[in-house]
Amino acid sequence: MSDAILEVKNLKKYFNTPGGVLHAVDDVSFTLEKGRILGVVGESGCGKSTMGRAILRLHEPTSGEVNFEGRDITKISAEEMRKLRSDMQIIFQDPFASLNPRKSVSELIGEPLRLHKIYKSKAEREQHVLELMEVVGLAERLANSYPHELDGGRRQRIGIARALALNPKFIVCDEPVSALDVSIQAQILNLLKKLKRERGLTYMFITHDLSVVNYFSDEIMVMYLGRMVEYAPSEELFKNPVHPYTRALLSAIPVPRLRSKRERILLKGEITSPINPKPGCRFAPRCAYAKECCFKDSPELRDLGGGHKVACHFSQEFFKG
Ligand code: SF4
């Protein structure tokens, strides 16, 4: 029996712009099992953060379904969605920008508890805040400090504590370490892994850095200009990347073990506009393998077996499974 916590079907998020309709997320479908980590990777502007926000309805989806624990949340009222917020949370990329600079650490972490009226008394709430601070590794003496007095790692720990405050089941981690120093990144990733283990959390982990998702994810989705181009269990994707774009991303990982086996693939050619996109593969202008059909027909996502799906006309030829 499937233990899916999230089933996304044909999700689209379009924006009207002066130049036309921007297809930020275009027909993405996937299933995420409870307790798993889905890594979502792609270059800046590929739609990965917009997809995370559309799933949480921080952006209203243009069309499609987002089934959370079997219920399509795109159809529920704002009030029902507000209640569901405690189950579905987000950790933002830039903790400094997402935190009110005029509020203390204690106030910031206590805010979701206050808004959702979890405790009747202030004392009970403050006690829970101190417990959350301990869980995320923030010293109690920092309770009255302000964000500008803390380093990036501690600020991100506040963001994580806020996300945990309402005891969620699912968290979208939107580039949670990319604004941090490399030395602090590992600490935050380890903390997120520990919390997932202890609390049975499910993550969607969005990043532009494929080396981070390899360490962190059970499955990986690769996005290119609003489309899912490859989806596979993490180990399979690293062992057997099929889509030419995934191969290029992988070749850029600065790991000697990988570099010795793979030459760096430099992408040339122009990036297609996601505004009123033409039919055809959106990667075609940058793809070394593009043929005539690639500029005419959009490739369907094909299942190559073992949960490995690829959107490329020549996926069977590139597949070495
Ligand atoms: Fe390249 Fe064609 Fe495959 Fe697109 S469909 S990735 S252009 S070979």
Side-chain angles (χ1 to χ4, degrees), residues 243-245 281 283-284 287-291 294 299 311-314 318:
H243 197 282
Y245 177 61
C281 174
F283 188 58
C287 181
Y289 305 95
K291 300 211 167 92
C294 302
C312 168
H313 291 307
F314 305 103
F318 297 151

